């Protein structure tokens, strides 16, 4: 909502503009009226809408046309005052004042107008018959008020309506000529309906309506009031109520009724609570709440955010197969202004046999977005209505900013749940295969991936000593002369070479020596394509000897050319190295260390799967 409201009073001389302002301030009719009242500011605590209000007077005798034009351009609402007993002042409303205001305001955002008929104490008849055709002719006219500065009649109401015209304008919501809501308003309210429809059945049941009411107006509806609302909709729209709940058509009808009855502040309260601004666009402050991220810290979703995202998955997984079909995914993203996930996402996370994103894959993609681009994650959570449904102040409350990595190294323990592994290797070394194998895809399945849908990221869960962690693999482009900060910033480095190509290993040695030899980032050498005959590498020493000299674990054999899903053991090792970078490299070479890790991983993978099945039962 606006921080303040600026009201300008214009009109012919002697119609009572200054008297209206002075009567409002002093609560009595002034004996002496100056040409023009000084600008006054009414504090927020004495206005109905709790917004500071500036009231500006205009005097033809004291001000130039240029000064008038400046005031018109600054005004949020303009009151055109006429005298009910002066036909000439009424004629001037359409012949002079409305054209003048139109010329001096932005065509795309017309300033709302209030017609003010003053001196009603001097006549017995109303001017409304003359004024109504004018109101019908000009859509920017919000309302008309007849008042009397002398009798103090409707003075406070006049300024309340002016304030309301700014804070709760009819213009963006409703088209008087067509007598229905404008498309942008329908679109915004449709999004609100979909967010509020917690079980996604196309109906707002009593529980959902009460939650909606409490969210927007801080009070639940009494059972009888709830029935009264539904009865009003039933009487006017046969499709408005279904199975004793409000349909989208019924919801839209109700808001049309509010607007037609002059209660558009009700609709604006709803729109603003769901993050919409005066132009019916989602507010930038709503989509991007402040979130401070110090250097060497990462961003992760917290428990509340994961619970919310689980509820969104459940809401759209209509067939309860723990995967989102293309139709279900499209339905989920209907509250977005665009489709946020492209085909590459299906090659970034786990999918089922049909290529649909699984529950685990869905959470993995959210984890990836949070880690790589937290601002985008905040935006996405905003579209889904996180702060409203989870009853949090903003999306930022769903994000954990991890502590500085240096502190983790000092304390020899980490609180992080997401670890980044950058994968280096020459062209054709098998990096893409290594990423896809992490998602359970063997070489046969990988060959079905279209080149344009390829992803340079892969993310899934691993278990280290029974703790579920996310490992994020990033395939780095093999031009080591141009490594970016992002290419360097990771928790563990994977140096991958093709064991069947004699020239593949040398690239890994160059990357290691140039960038990681003196860093504290743990590195692992991986001999890919181990299903093929191993060929001696054309380098000064063998890969095993190189690793021994540089205190790295011995090269790990890997292949994705398997009948079943490739082994995940190597990914557990990488996650472990990322979690415990302080562990002596000699320990990492020890077979008993990895034996402990693999046994722990196997046990907890089984336990994790059992827990996963338990969690899925209610779905």
């Amino acid at each position: 909502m606006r921080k303040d409201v600026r009201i300008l009073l214009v009109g012919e001389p002697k119609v009572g503009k200054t008297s209206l302002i002075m009567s409002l301030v002093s609560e009595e009719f002034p004996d002496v009226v100056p040409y023009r009242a000084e600008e006054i500011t009414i504090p927020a605590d004495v206005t109905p809408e709790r917004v500071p209000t500036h009231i500006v007077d205009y005097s033809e005798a004291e001000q130039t046309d240029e000064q008038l034009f400046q005031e018109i351009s600054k005004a949020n609402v303009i009151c055109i005052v006429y005298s009910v007993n002066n036909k000439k002042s009424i004629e001037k409303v359409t012949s002079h004042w409305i054209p003048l205001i139109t010329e001096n305001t932005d065509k795309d955002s017309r300033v709302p107008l209030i017609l003010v008929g003053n001196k009603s104490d001097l006549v017995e008849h109303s001017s409304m018959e003359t004024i109504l055709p004018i109101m019908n002719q000009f859509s920017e006219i919000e309302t008309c008020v007849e008042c009397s500065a002398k009798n103090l009649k409707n003075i406070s109401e006049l300024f309340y309506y002016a304030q309301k015209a700014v804070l709760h304008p009819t213009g963006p919501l409703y088209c008087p000529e067509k007598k229905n809501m404008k498309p942008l308003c329908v679109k915004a309210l449709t999004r609100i309906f979909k967010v509020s429809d917690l079980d996604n059945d196309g109906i707002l049941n009593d529980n959902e309506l009460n939650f909606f009411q409490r969210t927007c107006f801080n009070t639940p509806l009494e059972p009888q009031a709830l029935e009264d609302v539904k009865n009003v909709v039933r009487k006017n729209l046969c499709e408005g109520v279904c199975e004793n709940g409000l349909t989208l058509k019924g919801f839209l009808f109700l808001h049309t009724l509010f607007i037609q009855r002059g209660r558009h502040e009700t609709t604006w309260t709803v729109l603003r609570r769901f993050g919409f601004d005066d132009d019916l666009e989602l507010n930038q402050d709503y989509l991007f709440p402040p979130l401070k991220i110090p250097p060497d810290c990462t961003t992760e979703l917290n428990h509340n955010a994961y619970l919310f995202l689980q509820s969104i998955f459940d809401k759209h997984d209509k067939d309860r197969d723990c995967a989102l079909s293309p139709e279900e995914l499209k339905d989920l993203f209907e509250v977005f202004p665009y489709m946020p996930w492209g085909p590459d996402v299906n090659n970034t996370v786990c999918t089922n046999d049909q290529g649909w994103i699984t529950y685990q894959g869905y959470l993995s993609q959210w984890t990836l977005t949070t880690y790589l681009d937290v601002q985008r994650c905040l935006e996405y959570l905003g579209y889904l209505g996180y702060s409203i449904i989870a009853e949090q102040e903003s999306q930022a409350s769903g994000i954990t900013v991890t502590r500085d990595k240096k502190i983790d190294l000092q304390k020899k323990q980490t609180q992080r749940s997401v670890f980044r592994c950058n994968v280096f290797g020459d062209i054709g070394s098998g990096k893409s295969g290594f990423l896809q194998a992490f998602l359970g895809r063997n070489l046969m399945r990988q060959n079905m991936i279209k080149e344009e849908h390829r992803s340079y990221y892969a993310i899934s869960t691993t278990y280290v000593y029974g703790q579920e962690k996310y490992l994020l693999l990033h395939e780095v482009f093999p031009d080591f002369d141009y490594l970016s900060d992002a290419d360097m910033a990771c928790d563990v480095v994977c140096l991958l070479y093709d064991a069947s190509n004699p020239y593949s290993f040398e690239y890994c040695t160059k990357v290691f020596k140039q960038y990681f030899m003196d860093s504290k980032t743990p590195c692992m050498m991986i001999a890919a394509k181990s299903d093929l005959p191993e060929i001696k590498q054309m380098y000064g020493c063998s890969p095993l000897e190189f690793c021994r000299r540089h205190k790295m674990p011995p090269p790990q054999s890997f292949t994705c050319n398997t009948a079943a899903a490739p082994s995940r053991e190597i990914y557990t090792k990488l996650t472990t190295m990322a979690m415990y970078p302080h562990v002596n490299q000699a320990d990492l070479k020890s077979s008993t260390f990895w034996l402990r890790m693999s046994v722990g991983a196997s046990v907890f993978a089984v336990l994790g799967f059992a827990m996963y099945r338990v969690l899925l039962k209610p779905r």
Side-chain angles (χ1 to χ4, degrees):
M1 196 180 283
R2 286 183 180 273
K3 291 177 181 173
D4 61 0
V5 172
R6 190 172 181 84
I7 303 170
L8 172 65
L9 275 69
V10 298
E12 295 300 294
K14 308 289 184 185
V15 292
K17 301 182 294 296
T18 308
S19 300
L20 287 168
I21 296 170
M22 296 182 76
S23 292
L24 174 76
V25 175
S26 63
E27 295 186 346
E28 60 181 15
F29 186 65
D31 294 327
V32 180
V33 182
Y35 280 117
R36 178 172 172 264
E38 291 296 318
E39 179 180 326
I40 65 160
T41 298
I42 301 173
D45 56 357
V46 295
T47 66
E49 297 290 346
R50 302 285 173 188
V51 176
T53 301
H54 313 281
I55 301 175
V56 181
D57 193 8
Y58 162 70
S59 167
E60 189 179 285
E62 289 197 354
Q63 289 174 290
T64 64
D65 285 350
E66 188 56 40
Q67 287 173 313
L68 170 62
F69 301 155
Q70 284 180 0
E71 287 298 349
I72 288 172
S73 67
K74 288 192 289 183
N76 301 128
V77 56
I78 298 174
C79 296
I80 304 176
V81 184
Y82 64 90
S83 175
V84 292
N85 66 342
N86 183 336
K87 284 186 178 179
K88 188 181 177 184
S89 70
I90 297 174
E91 287 167 8
K92 282 278 190 174
V93 169
T94 52
S95 65
H96 176 69
W97 288 109
I98 292 179
L100 181 77
I101 292 165
T102 302
E103 285 169 20
N104 289 280
T105 52
D106 186 0
K107 288 182 174 63
D108 295 327
S109 53
R110 289 281 171 85
V111 64
L113 306 177
I114 307 285
L115 300 187
V116 181
N118 190 26
K119 304 186 182 181
S120 64
D121 56 293
L122 298 179
V123 294
E124 291 182 1
H125 61 275
S126 171
S127 63
M128 283 302 175
E129 277 189 28
T130 311
I131 294 301
L132 277 173
I134 299 174
M135 290 180 67
N136 291 332
Q137 186 182 348
F138 298 96
S139 58
E140 56 266 46
I141 299 173
E142 286 282 322
T143 191
C144 176
V145 185
E146 287 195 344
C147 55
S148 168
K150 189 172 186 178
N151 292 349
L152 307 184
K153 179 189 172 186
N154 286 343
I155 304 297
S156 57
E157 286 83 354
L158 152 64
F159 291 101
Y160 168 67
Y161 284 130
Q163 196 182 51
K164 186 175 163 182
V166 177
L167 302 176
H168 312 297
T170 311
L173 307 182
Y174 189 74
C175 181
E177 292 85 4
K178 295 179 180 177
K179 291 186 169 52
N180 57 22
M181 277 194 290
K182 289 186 175 178
L184 265 182
C185 183
V186 171
K187 186 180 175 183
L189 289 171
T190 300
R191 179 187 168 274
I192 290 168
F193 180 90
K194 286 183 178 296
V195 169
S196 304
D197 182 12
L198 302 177
D199 57 10
N200 201 31
D201 64 350
I203 298 164
L204 295 185
N205 60 38
D206 286 1
N207 288 335
E208 289 165 341
L209 280 168
N210 262 318
F211 180 78
F212 171 82
Q213 178 76 11
R214 198 177 76 245
T215 299
C216 296
F217 305 101
N218 297 317
T219 175
L221 277 169
E222 292 296 322
Q224 188 54 52
L226 202 57
E227 283 307 309
D228 291 344
V229 166
K230 285 186 280 190
N231 285 334
V232 168
V233 176
R234 272 193 199 99
K235 283 178 187 174
N236 292 277
L237 191 71
C238 57
E239 297 170 293
V241 177
C242 178
E243 295 177 16
N244 203 35
L246 210 58
T247 64
L248 174 59
K249 285 184 177 179
F251 184 73
L252 294 174
F253 168 79
L254 206 55
H255 281 282
T256 305
L257 208 59
F258 288 143
I259 296 162
Q260 287 173 340
R261 292 181 178 178
R263 287 179 53 196
H264 34 283
E265 65 269 24
T266 304
T267 301
W268 274 116
T269 301
V270 170
L271 289 164
R272 289 190 174 115
R273 177 66 185 89
F274 279 78
F276 287 94
D277 62 18
D278 290 351
D279 298 317
L280 298 184
E281 298 288 342
L282 283 169
N283 202 306
Q284 294 298 294
D285 293 341
Y286 167 80
L287 289 176
F288 303 104
L291 183 67
K292 191 177 179 183
I293 307 160
D296 292 323
C297 299
T298 59
T299 43
E300 301 178 357
L301 294 164
N302 62 28
H303 180 64
N304 286 337
Y306 278 120
L307 283 178
F308 169 76
L309 290 168
Q310 179 184 317
S311 73
I312 295 294
F313 185 95
D314 289 346
K315 174 177 172 176
H316 294 91
D317 181 21
K318 291 183 178 178
D319 55 9
R320 295 291 182 263
D321 64 347
C322 294
L324 293 174
S325 68
E327 292 75 25
E328 289 169 340
L329 203 60
K330 186 183 174 186
D331 186 39
L332 190 154
F333 289 128
E334 268 205 350
V335 292
F336 283 56
Y338 53 86
M339 185 67 179
W341 293 0
D344 60 311
V345 172
N346 295 54
N347 299 313
T348 305
V349 298
C350 292
T351 57
N352 64 11
D353 293 337
Q354 293 164 284
W356 300 350
I357 294 170
T358 62
Y359 175 69
Q360 184 191 2
Y362 163 84
L363 292 182
S364 296
Q365 178 61 24
W366 277 99
T367 303
L368 176 73
T369 307
T370 308
Y371 186 94
L372 294 180
D373 191 349
V374 72
Q375 290 301 315
R376 182 153 288 191
C377 178
L378 291 172
E379 180 189 356
Y380 291 176
L381 288 172
Y383 292 140
L384 291 173
Y386 171 78
S387 60
I388 293 138
I389 304 305
E391 299 183 81
Q392 299 290 328
E393 190 175 333
S394 75
Q395 297 89 270
S397 66
I399 308 294
T400 295
V401 178
T402 65
R403 69 187 181 190
D404 192 318
K405 199 173 175 181
K406 296 186 195 79
I407 299 171
D408 284 354
L409 288 166
Q410 288 166 9
K411 293 184 178 287
K412 297 186 177 181
Q413 60 178 6
T414 183
Q415 298 165 333
R416 298 186 184 200
S417 298
V418 186
F419 298 93
R420 177 174 180 145
C421 171
N422 283 354
V423 182
F424 294 85
D426 207 355
I427 294 169
S429 58
K431 298 187 298 297
S432 299
F434 184 72
L435 264 67
Q436 290 301 311
F438 184 36
L439 306 176
R441 295 169 190 146
N442 60 20
L443 193 60
M444 189 184 295
R445 280 189 67 185
Q446 291 177 29
N447 288 334
M448 296 163 69
I449 297 171
K450 293 179 181 177
E451 182 58 32
E452 63 267 28
H453 297 164
R454 183 181 167 191
S455 174
Y456 293 94
Y457 291 93
I459 183 168
S460 190
T461 52
T462 60
Y463 284 88
V464 177
Y465 283 142
Q467 299 176 60
E468 186 183 51
K469 302 293 179 183
Y470 280 95
L471 180 65
L472 189 170
L473 301 178
H474 172 49
E475 179 185 338
V476 179
F477 190 75
D479 186 353
F480 61 81
D481 290 330
Y482 298 100
L483 290 187
S484 67
D485 290 341
D487 294 333
M488 302 284 290
C490 57
D491 302 298
V492 62
V493 172
C494 173
L495 300 163
L496 189 141
Y497 68 95
D498 177 356
S500 67
N501 180 346
Y503 303 101
S504 186
F505 177 67
E506 187 180 7
Y507 173 89
C508 295
T509 64
K510 286 182 179 178
V511 171
F512 177 78
K513 285 181 176 179
Q514 190 166 336
Y515 295 106
F516 298 106
M517 190 161 71
D518 299 321
S519 79
K520 291 183 179 179
T521 308
C523 299
M524 178 183 277
M525 197 72 73
I526 294 177
K529 305 186 185 180
S530 62
D531 57 300
L532 300 174
E534 186 174 356
I535 294 176
K536 183 182 177 183
Q537 294 295 315
M538 301 301 286
Y539 187 71
C541 64
S542 70
L544 182 62
E545 179 61 22
F546 183 87
C547 290
R548 187 187 64 77
R549 284 181 190 175
H550 295 287
K551 296 180 180 178
M552 290 163 62
Q556 307 289 304
S557 296
F558 174 80
T559 180
C560 57
N561 191 7
T562 54
S567 168
R568 288 175 60 88
E569 183 183 344
I570 201 161
Y571 305 106
T572 303
K573 289 182 179 183
L574 285 166
T575 313
T576 307
M577 290 173 72
M579 282 181 70
Y580 303 107
H582 56 277
V583 172
N584 189 292
Q585 295 298 316
D587 289 342
L588 289 173
K589 286 187 278 184
S590 159
S591 58
T592 54
F593 178 85
W594 293 115
L595 183 64
R596 292 201 309 272
M597 290 312 309
S598 58
V599 169
S602 301
V603 169
F604 282 100
V606 171
L607 285 174
F609 183 70
M611 286 301 293
Y612 183 64
R613 285 174 63 183
V614 169
L615 284 169
L616 296 184
K617 273 186 179 177
R619 283 205 201 348

